[in-house]
Amino acid sequence: MAGTSNTKRIAKDFKEISNDPPLDMNVQLGTDGDMHKWVVTVNGPKESPYAGGHFVVQVTLPPNYPFKPPIISWQTKIYHPNVSNDDKGTMCLGMLRDGEWKPSSKLSNALGYIRQLMIEPDVDDAIEQSIAREYKEDRKEFVKKAKKWTKDYA
């Protein structure tokens, strides 16, 4: 029964987000049609160094969603303090932590927050400390590198 409830919730969330996607985003099911794996294309916000880039983010909904948070991983490399620079592309997003995520939390809000972090990174909650330090101490260099990575990878 929990699986049925989970599937209904996921289908409801997917329909809502598909009908009214967050700004600069397109949401689709993965190639195999698995409702637990979504592919989100994020267009770099024009007010960010990622403008003109198209970033692919995978959203994985665990079997116990919505009681556990979705897992967000960047498939496209991005120069950002809140995204790991490894092959996992893990994103540090406070609302997606086990203690912060609630069953009433909206996935659309999490996706909107991703866009907001592209405009204004949360350097106090960074995965990549050296990039966070650069953002704080040498914004011009950060922007230069972020634009180059966007051009090279996105």
Coordinates of all heavy atoms in Angstrom, one line a residue, residues 117-152:
L117 N 20.1 29.3 -6.2 CA 21.5 29.1 -5.9 C 22.5 29.4 -7.0 O 23.6 29.8 -6.8 CB 21.8 27.7 -5.4 CG 21.4 27.4 -3.9 CD1 21.6 26.0 -3.6 CD2 22.1 28.3 -2.9
M118 N 22.0 29.3 -8.3 CA 22.8 29.6 -9.4 C 23.0 31.1 -9.5 O 24.0 31.6 -10.0 CB 22.1 29.1 -10.7 CG 22.1 27.6 -10.8 SD 21.3 26.9 -12.3 CE 22.6 27.1 -13.5
I119 N 22.0 31.8 -9.0 CA 22.2 33.3 -9.0 C 23.0 33.8 -7.8 O 23.8 34.6 -7.9 CB 20.7 34.0 -9.0 CG1 20.0 33.6 -10.3 CG2 20.8 35.5 -8.8 CD1 18.5 33.9 -10.2
E120 N 22.7 33.2 -6.7 CA 23.4 33.6 -5.4 C 23.8 32.3 -4.6 O 22.9 31.8 -3.8 CB 22.5 34.5 -4.6 CG 23.1 35.1 -3.4 CD 24.2 36.1 -3.7 OE1 24.1 36.8 -4.7 OE2 25.2 36.1 -3.0
P121 N 25.0 31.8 -4.8 CA 25.4 30.6 -4.1 C 25.3 30.8 -2.5 O 25.5 31.9 -2.1 CB 26.9 30.4 -4.5 CG 26.9 31.1 -5.8 CD 26.0 32.3 -5.7
D122 N 25.2 29.7 -1.8 CA 25.2 29.8 -0.4 C 26.6 29.3 0.1 O 26.8 28.1 0.3 CB 24.1 28.8 0.2 CG 24.0 28.8 1.7 OD1 24.8 29.6 2.3 OD2 23.2 28.1 2.3
V123 N 27.5 30.3 0.2 CA 28.9 30.0 0.5 C 29.1 29.5 1.9 O 30.1 28.8 2.2 CB 29.8 31.2 0.2 CG1 29.8 31.4 -1.3 CG2 29.4 32.4 1.0
D124 N 28.1 29.7 2.8 CA 28.2 29.2 4.2 C 27.8 27.7 4.3 O 28.0 27.1 5.3 CB 27.3 30.0 5.1 CG 27.8 31.5 5.2 OD1 29.1 31.7 5.1 OD2 27.0 32.4 5.2
D125 N 27.3 27.1 3.2 CA 26.9 25.7 3.2 C 27.5 25.1 1.9 O 26.8 24.3 1.2 CB 25.4 25.6 3.2 CG 24.9 24.2 3.5 OD1 25.6 23.5 4.1 OD2 23.7 23.9 3.1
A126 N 28.8 25.3 1.7 CA 29.4 24.8 0.5 C 30.0 23.5 0.6 O 30.5 23.1 1.7 CB 30.5 25.8 0.1
I127 N 30.0 22.7 -0.5 CA 30.7 21.5 -0.6 C 32.1 21.7 -1.1 O 33.1 21.2 -0.6 CB 30.0 20.5 -1.7 CG1 28.7 20.0 -1.1 CG2 30.9 19.4 -2.0 CD1 27.9 19.1 -2.1
E128 N 32.2 22.6 -2.0 CA 33.6 23.0 -2.6 C 34.0 24.3 -1.9 O 33.7 25.4 -2.3 CB 33.5 23.2 -4.1 CG 33.1 22.0 -4.8 CD 34.2 20.9 -4.8 OE1 35.4 21.2 -4.5 OE2 33.9 19.7 -5.1
Q129 N 34.8 24.1 -0.8 CA 35.2 25.2 0.0 C 36.1 26.2 -0.7 O 36.0 27.4 -0.5 CB 35.9 24.7 1.3 CG 35.0 24.0 2.3 CD 33.9 24.8 2.8 OE1 34.1 26.0 3.1 NE2 32.7 24.3 2.9
S130 N 37.0 25.7 -1.6 CA 37.9 26.6 -2.3 C 37.1 27.5 -3.3 O 37.4 28.7 -3.4 CB 38.9 25.8 -3.1 OG 38.3 25.0 -4.1
I131 N 36.0 27.0 -3.9 CA 35.2 27.8 -4.7 C 34.4 28.8 -3.9 O 34.3 30.0 -4.3 CB 34.3 26.9 -5.6 CG1 35.1 26.0 -6.5 CG2 33.3 27.8 -6.4 CD1 34.3 25.0 -7.3
A132 N 34.0 28.4 -2.7 CA 33.2 29.3 -1.8 C 34.2 30.5 -1.4 O 33.8 31.6 -1.4 CB 32.7 28.6 -0.6
R133 N 35.4 30.1 -1.1 CA 36.4 31.1 -0.7 C 36.6 32.1 -1.8 O 36.6 33.3 -1.6 CB 37.7 30.5 -0.2 CG 38.6 31.3 0.5 CD 39.8 30.6 1.2 NE 40.2 29.3 0.6 CZ 39.8 28.1 1.0 NH1 38.9 28.0 2.0 NH2 40.2 27.0 0.4
E134 N 36.8 31.6 -3.0 CA 37.0 32.4 -4.2 C 35.8 33.3 -4.4 O 36.0 34.5 -4.7 CB 37.2 31.5 -5.4 CG 37.5 32.3 -6.7 CD 37.8 31.4 -7.9 OE1 36.8 30.7 -8.3 OE2 38.9 31.4 -8.3
Y135 N 34.6 32.8 -4.3 CA 33.4 33.6 -4.5 C 33.4 34.8 -3.5 O 33.0 35.9 -3.9 CB 32.1 32.7 -4.2 CG 30.8 33.4 -4.5 CD1 30.3 33.6 -5.7 CD2 30.1 34.0 -3.4 CE1 29.1 34.2 -5.9 CE2 28.9 34.7 -3.6 CZ 28.4 34.8 -4.8 OH 27.2 35.5 -5.0
K136 N 33.8 34.5 -2.2 CA 33.8 35.6 -1.2 C 34.9 36.6 -1.4 O 34.7 37.8 -1.3 CB 33.9 35.0 0.2 CG 32.6 34.3 0.7 CD 32.7 34.0 2.1 CE 33.2 32.6 2.4 NZ 33.1 32.1 3.8
E137 N 36.1 36.1 -1.8 CA 37.3 36.9 -1.8 C 37.6 37.5 -3.2 O 38.3 38.5 -3.2 CB 38.5 36.1 -1.2 CG 38.2 35.7 0.2 CD 39.3 34.8 0.7 OE1 40.3 34.4 0.0 OE2 39.2 34.3 1.9
D138 N 37.2 36.8 -4.2 CA 37.6 37.3 -5.6 C 36.5 37.0 -6.6 O 36.6 36.1 -7.4 CB 38.9 36.6 -6.0 CG 39.5 37.2 -7.3 OD1 38.8 38.1 -7.9 OD2 40.6 36.8 -7.7
R139 N 35.4 37.7 -6.4 CA 34.2 37.4 -7.2 C 34.4 37.5 -8.7 O 33.9 36.7 -9.4 CB 33.1 38.4 -6.8 CG 31.7 38.3 -7.5 CD 30.9 37.2 -6.9 NE 30.7 37.3 -5.5 CZ 29.7 37.9 -4.8 NH1 28.7 38.4 -5.5 NH2 29.7 37.9 -3.5
K140 N 35.3 38.4 -9.1 CA 35.5 38.5 -10.5 C 36.2 37.2 -11.1 O 35.8 36.8 -12.2 CB 36.5 39.7 -10.7 CG 36.6 40.2 -12.1 CD 37.5 41.5 -12.1 CE 37.5 42.1 -13.5 NZ 38.2 43.3 -13.6
E141 N 37.1 36.6 -10.4 CA 37.7 35.4 -10.8 C 36.7 34.2 -10.8 O 36.7 33.4 -11.7 CB 38.9 35.0 -9.9 CG 39.7 33.8 -10.3 CD 40.3 34.0 -11.7 OE1 40.5 35.1 -12.2 OE2 40.7 32.9 -12.3
F142 N 35.9 34.2 -9.8 CA 34.8 33.2 -9.7 C 33.9 33.3 -10.9 O 33.6 32.3 -11.6 CB 34.0 33.3 -8.4 CG 32.7 32.6 -8.5 CD1 32.6 31.2 -8.2 CD2 31.5 33.2 -8.9 CE1 31.5 30.5 -8.3 CE2 30.3 32.4 -9.0 CZ 30.3 31.1 -8.7
V143 N 33.5 34.5 -11.3 CA 32.6 34.7 -12.4 C 33.3 34.2 -13.7 O 32.7 33.6 -14.6 CB 32.1 36.1 -12.5 CG1 31.4 36.4 -13.8 CG2 31.1 36.4 -11.3
K144 N 34.5 34.6 -13.8 CA 35.3 34.2 -15.0 C 35.4 32.7 -15.2 O 35.1 32.1 -16.3 CB 36.7 34.8 -14.9 CG 37.6 34.5 -16.0 CD 39.0 35.1 -15.8 CE 40.0 34.6 -16.8 NZ 41.4 35.1 -16.5
K145 N 35.7 32.0 -14.1 CA 35.7 30.5 -14.2 C 34.4 29.9 -14.4 O 34.2 28.9 -15.2 CB 36.4 30.0 -12.9 CG 37.8 30.2 -12.8 CD 38.4 29.7 -11.5 CE 39.9 30.0 -11.3 NZ 40.4 29.6 -10.0
A146 N 33.3 30.4 -13.7 CA 32.0 29.9 -13.9 C 31.5 30.0 -15.3 O 30.9 29.1 -15.9 CB 31.0 30.6 -12.9
K147 N 31.8 31.2 -15.9 CA 31.5 31.4 -17.4 C 32.2 30.4 -18.3 O 31.7 29.9 -19.2 CB 31.7 32.8 -17.8 CG 30.7 33.8 -17.2 CD 31.0 35.2 -17.7 CE 29.9 36.2 -17.2 NZ 30.1 37.5 -17.7
K148 N 33.5 30.2 -18.0 CA 34.3 29.3 -18.8 C 33.8 27.9 -18.7 O 33.6 27.2 -19.7 CB 35.8 29.4 -18.4 CG 36.6 28.4 -19.2 CD 38.1 28.6 -19.1 CE 39.0 27.7 -19.9 NZ 38.4 26.8 -20.8
W149 N 33.5 27.4 -17.5 CA 32.9 26.1 -17.4 C 31.6 26.0 -18.0 O 31.3 24.9 -18.6 CB 32.8 25.7 -15.9 CG 34.1 25.3 -15.2 CD1 35.3 25.8 -15.3 CD2 34.2 24.2 -14.3 NE1 36.2 25.1 -14.6 CE2 35.5 24.1 -13.9 CE3 33.3 23.3 -13.8 CZ2 36.0 23.2 -13.0 CZ3 33.8 22.3 -12.9 CH2 35.1 22.3 -12.5
T150 N 30.8 27.0 -18.0 CA 29.5 27.0 -18.6 C 29.7 26.9 -20.1 O 29.0 26.0 -20.8 CB 28.7 28.3 -18.3 OG1 28.5 28.3 -16.9 CG2 27.4 28.3 -19.1
K151 N 30.6 27.6 -20.7 CA 30.9 27.5 -22.1 C 31.5 26.1 -22.5 O 31.1 25.6 -23.5 CB 31.9 28.6 -22.5 CG 32.2 28.7 -24.0 CD 33.3 29.7 -24.3 CE 33.6 29.7 -25.8 NZ 34.8 30.4 -26.1
D152 N 32.4 25.6 -21.7 CA 33.0 24.3 -22.0 C 32.1 23.1 -21.8 O 32.2 22.1 -22.5 CB 34.2 24.1 -21.1 CG 35.4 25.1 -21.4 OD1 35.3 25.8 -22.5 OD2 36.3 25.2 -20.7

